[in-house]
Amino acid sequence: MADEPLVLGIETSCDETGVGIVRGTTLLADAVASSVDEHARFGGVVPEVASRAHLEAMVPTIDRALKEAGVSARDLDGIAVTAGPGLAGALLVGVSAAKAYAYALGKPLYGVNHLASHICVDQLEHGALPEPTMALLVSGGHSSLLLSSDITSDVRPMGATIDDAAGEAFDKIARVLNLGFPGGPVIDRYAKEGDPRAIAFPRGLTGPRDPAYDFSFSGLKTSVARWIEAKRAAGEEVPVRDVAASFQEAVVDVLTRKAVRACKDEGVDHLMIGGGVAANSRLRELARHRCEAAGIELRVPRPKLCTDNGAMVAALGAEMVARNRAASSWDLSADSSLPVTDPHVPGHDHVHEVSKENLYS
Ligand code: KG4
Ligand code: ZN
């Protein structure tokens, strides 16, 4: 529909410079420039390298998205940007770019939450989000179970990791196995040829007295690393495929078990899974089986929409416009620890007063 809001979204919370354009819940463009190769030799994202890469990629990526969508910047109804959480310097590049474009074009600016965007992106794949929706967000930085009755205003944390994020565990185990970075995709690939029951790795926080919805992956990580060390010390070959499959099974078993339990306990019949780890083929498969058995409808966006991208930010921005949420003010700042309970950063009353004074203050 032509009267649905046309929004451009900018995402720079980690190592992907993402620029997406949506009209309502329709994806028009999803341009991503990644600096992942520049971080590979360090085995993790180096914040300063990421910030510099965002700066270089920003304008070309915005131009590419506009071209891909076949729209002019003048036609936009708003510009959305990830205000947090994420790497402070990296976020700052996106927020500054969004402000500059919004100010120059005279468009409203929406600073939005990275995690709420990971949930909202599913609207581009499966249409309007059911309300309420349970969301399992699993990435390199987060592992959370969230319950949302309105993605623009109400996101409630049910549980989260108490130590490592699920993706972080994949990355660390891949490093121990010398498989490179990022670890998730390569472990996923090796696991396909391994036996998930070969080694019984521990399932963190699944005891009767443990918190029902929180996660812990650090014990699992240590256990897998010790197992590998012991094999190496004994001069035996490490069965990489079996280790990958058994480790992956331990992670996805706990994730899906807790997510389904949260849905049942809260009487929610929809589960969405997002974040980079949602690209994991075994997670998708096991979630499908368990949701089917429990009568829960599962929604997982295609892998490209699960990893960090600008389309998810545009999707949430468009929802903000559609629901008449307040735009952000020109003093919007990057907040590296923006709470998950804040889907966006609303501005003060003088939002649309554009003056050089408040732009540069
Ligand atoms: O959401 P994302 O792109 O960035 C963050 O916000 O962290 O997630 C990246 C994480 C990395 O840890 C990566 O190893 C993991 O997602 N990942 C996967 C897979 N693809 C990416 N983990 C498991 N299986 C995959 N297929
Ligand atoms: Zn993310």
Side-chain angles (χ1 to χ4, degrees), residues 1-7 21-28 71 77 318:
M1 277 196 308
D3 56 353
E4 284 185 307
L6 180 69
V7 173
I21 298 176
V22 307
R23 192 183 291 283
T25 57
T26 306
L27 177 65
L28 301 184
V71 299
D77 295 305

Side-chain angles (χ1 to χ4, degrees), residues 11 23 86 93 123-124 148 163 171 176 198-199 243 266 287 338:
E11 152 63 35
R23 192 183 291 283
V93 177
Q123 300 207 130
L124 305 178
S148 172
D163 40 57
D171 294 337
V176 178
I199 312 148
V243 172
E266 295 290 321
L338 185 67

